[in-house]
């Protein structure tokens, strides 16, 4: 680029004889191009860049000195090329290197000027020797140019030092910034890992209650995905939770107690959950005045929660067992204190009825006494069954057959009306299980009757048996009846809890008998949407017979 500019200027510059500098500059251009190629190859072959820079700029000084001599020495128009080289050095080297090259440029220029002005060497061809008048002007220009070279060298050395300091400060700042950025990224990664590793659900919201974050445990507990709930209001996931949040924040302000509360909600697939929540404010580091509520700055809420469904179920189980233990203590005494007088009363009434001539009204009264005594006897029997269930007499039973018998009895029951429909769904392969047949029949009968009683205006009862080979057995009773509220569902296995006018012990007995068989009961119900009760018996009670395998193969093989 510099050579090109020189060739452009060359036609306008001439010596004392009027000759152009084009030939000189053309030769210089060829030399510079050849040197540039050499420099490029050397740069590719060597890694000693600083040494190459000194060599390259030193050669440039020699070439500029030669050009200055040929174009009028002290009067040369190309003295500015010394300054260009000094400026280039300031971008490549520090203060010592710039000072050395500046001094070299001054020495070379001074040597040429002093030799030509003293006459020790002749001026280049085409330039007249200095006379007294021209010598005085030449000496003035020489001194001025030499001072300019020294001044530019000094300023360039200062500039080089500042550049080096700036580069050092920039490198230090860049390194510190990179370190801080890395630490920030590491801290954020650690925080994200901690949040994702928590076994408690964590949700953050803004002041409106719109969800900002939803960690992995929250996804696992609720069944909702973070990308699906972000931006939604928290009440759409956890129901009416706004009041509890406000109460929790108020307790933080007053420091009266830990802000904890329990709520019931549903998972994404409709299962009931009981969650224990704690709430805290999402505080700003530098809160704005409009984000301050009663002197308490925050920009959202942080809620952590745990699934307490199993804990609540265990608590209910403990309460049932406590009630059962208390009832068991009274069972023996009540049995004798009630049954013996009841049997005497019933026998006496029967004797009187047989020996006396009674009117129609008197006979009806006698029948009422006998019927109510029988009902009282059944209540005592149910109570004893619940409080002191008989010992399990296990034997191999076929569950499909017992279910079919239960459905047959139900179809002949006066409780079943033409508006009721009973559907059976049993596997074609026999399902043998090691259980007490009488207790299994009682479980099935109580559940079937309860389902029919829940449909006073008719509906469908679906009885289903599922049994995968080697796995647990599931018996399901589904009705389309009136369903249950949350409170009714939580109390359905408590004794003397009835909504149909019975003793209130049927479902309590079912729960007790299923538990004695190491099984579990799952209940899904909503008011107005029917009830779905599943009994899950462990696979360890399955009995696999060779005949079952043969039937299974016959069913699986098309004829």
């Amino acid at each position: 680029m510099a050579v090109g500019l020189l060739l452009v200027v060359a036609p306008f510059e001439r010596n004392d004889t009027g000759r152009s500098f084009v030939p000189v500059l053309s030769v210089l251009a060829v030399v510079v191009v050849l040197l540039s190629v050499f420099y490029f190859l050397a740069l590719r072959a060597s890694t000693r860049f600083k040494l190459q820079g000194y060599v390259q700029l030193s050669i440039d000084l020699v070439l500029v000195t030669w050009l200055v001599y040929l174009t009028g020495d002290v009067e040369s128009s190309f003295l500015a090329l010394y300054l260009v080289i000094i400026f280039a050095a300031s971008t490549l080297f520090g203060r010592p290197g710039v000072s050395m090259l500046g001094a070299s440029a001054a020495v070379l220029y001074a040597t040429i000027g002093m030799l030509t002005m003293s006459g020790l060497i002749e001026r280049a061809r085409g330039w007249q020797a200095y006379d007294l008048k021209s010598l005085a002007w030449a000496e003035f220009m020489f001194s001025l140019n030499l001072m300019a070279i020294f001044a530019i060298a000094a300023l360039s050395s200062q500039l080089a030092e500042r550049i080096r300091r700036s580069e050092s400060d920039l490198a230090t700042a860049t390194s510190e910034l990179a370190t801080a950025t890395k630490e920030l990224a590491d801290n954020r990664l650690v925080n994200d890992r901690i949040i994702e590793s928590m076994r408690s659900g964590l949700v953050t919201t803004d002041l409106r209650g719109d969800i900002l974050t939803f960690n992995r445990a929250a996804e696992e507990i609720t069944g909702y995905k973070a990308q699906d709930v972000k931006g939604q209001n928290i009440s759409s996931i956890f129901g009416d939770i706004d009041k509890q949040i406000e109460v929790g924040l108020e307790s933080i302000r007053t420091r009266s107690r830990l802000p904890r509360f329990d709520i019931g909600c549903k998972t994404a697939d409709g299962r009931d959950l009981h969650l224990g929540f704690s709430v805290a404010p999402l505080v700003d580091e530098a809160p704005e005045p409009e984000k301050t509520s009663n002197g308490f700055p925050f920009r959202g809420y942080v809620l952590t929660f745990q699934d307490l469904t199993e804990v609540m179920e265990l608590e209910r189980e403990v309460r049932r067992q406590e009630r059962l233990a208390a009832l068991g203590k009274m069972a023996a005494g009540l049995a004798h204190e009630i049954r013996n007088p009841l049997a005497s009363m019933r026998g006496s009434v029967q004797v009187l009825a047989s020996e006396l001539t009674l009117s129609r009204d008197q006979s009806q009264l006698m029948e009422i006494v006998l019927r109510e005594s029988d009902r009282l006897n059944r209540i005592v029997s149910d109570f004893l069954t619940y409080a002191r269930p008989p010992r399990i007499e296990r034997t191999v039973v076929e569950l499909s057959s017992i279910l079919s018998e239960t459905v047959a009895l139900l179809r002949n029951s006066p409780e079943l009306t033409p508006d009721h429909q009973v559907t059976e769904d049993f596997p074609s392969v026999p399902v043998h299980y090691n259980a007490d047949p009488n207790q299994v029949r009682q479980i099935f009968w109580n559940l079937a009757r309860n389902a029919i009683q829940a449909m006073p205006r008719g509906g469908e009862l679906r009885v289903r048996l599922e049994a995968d080979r080697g796995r647990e057995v599931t018996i399901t009773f589904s009705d389309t009846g009136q369903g249950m509220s949350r409170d009714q569902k939580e109390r359905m296995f408590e004794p003397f809890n009835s909504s149909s006018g019975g003793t209130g012990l049927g479902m309590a007995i079912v729960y007790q008998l299923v538990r004695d068989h190491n099984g579990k009961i799952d209940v899904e119900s909503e008011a107005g949407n029917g009830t779905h009760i599943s009994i899950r018996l462990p696979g360890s009670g399955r009995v696999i017979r060779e005949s079952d395998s043969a039937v299974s193969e016959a069913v699986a093989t098309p004829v």
Side-chain angles (χ1 to χ4, degrees), residues 256-267:
S256 58
R257 60 182 178 82
L258 291 177
R260 295 181 180 275
F261 55 89
D262 299 340
I263 63 170
C265 62
K266 289 186 176 295
T267 63

Side-chain angles (χ1 to χ4, degrees), residues 398-471:
E398 207 284 293
L399 296 179
S400 298
S401 300
I402 296 179
L403 279 173
S404 298
E405 294 174 5
T406 302
V407 172
L409 288 173
L410 190 65
R411 293 184 191 278
N412 294 303
S413 171
E415 296 178 325
L416 200 71
T417 67
D419 294 328
H420 290 103
Q421 180 182 356
V422 182
T423 304
E424 303 174 55
D425 184 6
F426 307 145
S428 57
V429 178
V431 180
H432 293 96
Y433 201 86
N434 192 15
D436 188 309
N438 294 325
Q439 294 186 8
V440 169
R441 286 187 176 91
Q442 187 171 7
I443 293 171
F444 293 166
W445 176 250
N446 286 359
L447 290 175
R449 281 197 63 205
N450 200 66
I452 293 298
Q453 292 172 358
M455 300 184 291
R457 299 181 181 179
E460 180 183 6
L461 168 63
R462 185 179 181 86
V463 184
R464 186 176 184 182
L465 172 62
E466 297 176 279
D468 294 334
R469 185 178 179 88
R471 299 183 181 178

